[in-house]
Amino acid sequence: MNLLINVDHVATLRNARAESFPDPVHAAARCEHAGADGIVFHLREDRRHITERDVRLLRETVTGKLDFELSTAPDVVAICCDVAPDLATLVPERREEITTEGGLDVPANAERLEAVVPQLYDAGVAQVSLFVDPVPAHIRAARAAGANAVELHTGDYANARTADARAAELERLAAAAAVAHDEGLRVHAGHGLDYRNIAAFCDAVPHVHEVSIGFAIMARAILVGLDTAVRDMAARLRTA
């Protein structure tokens, strides 16, 4: 299972003081050197963390897989098409949210998604993924919209407070991954995965090619250093 690391929180720290550091581009290079298989970033409509400058430098410098997370806002879609990352992951976005709060309601947004997905392919993006809750109808709708991958939202699993609740969420995720696999979609996963819950996730959920993890790794890096934080997570995935 591959590890893609989200560097948004490095940009959040930089922007909190309107400084030029820490630089998410430099952090991305350190992550790859320490064993990450790729880098994730989310260019939000309000540019609250990652900026267009970051996007273009990440495209030039990342040597592994580059995952551009974006809404369907026309200006952001245009930038993604111009940059042509390896993977574009379409996500819901609300200005007032702290972080992405759930998966796309694919059926409700089918018309817009059916317009955007071909644009991304035409620009040279090889993989187009929709970030979805583990709901079979939304996964099938993602396929109908033209996506060739889905990223399963793991936030409900990560936030579950009891063993029974965690087990139930793992069952939902496993069933959703099986549906996605049967639909011919590549399966990714992310949101809230950390050093404590990743092993159980890997044991329970089949067909997952890669996970996207950001906050847990950056939070740990404050205490142990970025290289160690990345290597620790990569080691957990190698032994899963």
Side-chain angles (χ1 to χ4, degrees):
M1 190 181 298
N2 289 339
L3 171 62
L4 273 62
I5 297 180
N6 188 310
V7 295
D8 291 352
H9 293 291
V10 179
T12 297
L13 180 59
R14 174 195 62 191
N15 297 354
R17 288 282 296 268
E19 286 285 359
S20 60
F21 63 90
D23 192 332
V25 178
H26 296 165
R30 293 290 295 269
C31 288
E32 288 198 290
H33 184 263
D37 299 292
I39 299 299
V40 184
F41 63 85
H42 182 175
L43 182 66
R44 285 182 172 267
E45 295 175 48
D46 61 8
R47 310 300 197 267
R48 71 173 69 166
H49 39 61
I50 293 294
T51 66
E52 188 172 342
R53 169 264 184 198
D54 301 329
V55 171
R56 297 191 181 281
L57 286 177
L58 287 166
R59 173 72 284 183
E60 292 176 11
T61 57
V62 169
T63 59
K65 190 172 187 177
L66 188 64
D67 178 6
F68 188 138
E69 292 186 347
L70 69 156
S71 71
T72 59
D75 65 318
V76 183
V77 171
I79 294 169
C80 187
C81 288
D82 187 43
V83 170
D86 305 293
L87 166 65
T89 300
L90 291 161
V91 303
E93 184 175 316
R94 295 191 307 118
R95 293 289 178 97
E96 63 270 25
E97 68 188 0
I98 295 174
T99 185
T100 305
E101 295 174 344
L104 275 166
D105 185 341
V106 183
N109 292 279
E111 184 176 356
R112 177 60 180 153
L113 291 168
E114 288 168 6
V116 169
V117 170
Q119 284 183 255
L120 295 167
Y121 288 134
D122 289 345
V125 180
Q127 291 182 4
V128 178
S129 177
L130 304 188
F131 183 70
V132 296
D133 291 321
V135 177
H138 290 194
I139 293 167
R140 295 188 180 100
R143 182 61 171 163
N148 57 10
V150 289
E151 181 177 340
L152 298 178
H153 173 231
T154 53
D156 290 339
Y157 161 62
N159 293 329
R161 298 302 181 193
T162 67
D164 287 347
R166 286 190 292 274
E169 291 302 329
L170 287 174
E171 287 182 10
R172 287 182 70 215
L173 287 162
V179 170
H181 178 74
D182 290 345
E183 290 289 323
L185 297 166
R186 183 179 172 93
V187 183
H188 307 157
H191 201 77
L193 295 174
D194 61 29
Y195 296 88
R196 297 171 296 177
N197 61 32
I198 189 65
F201 171 83
C202 293
D203 288 344
V205 184
H207 309 304
V208 179
H209 291 275
E210 62 194 47
V211 293
S212 173
I213 304 176
F215 180 77
I217 290 173
M218 296 307 166
R220 186 163 187 170
I222 293 172
L223 302 178
V224 304
L226 186 56
D227 292 3
T228 298
V230 172
R231 291 191 181 108
D232 285 351
M233 184 60 77
R236 282 166 167 76
L237 293 178
R238 283 195 297 270
T239 58

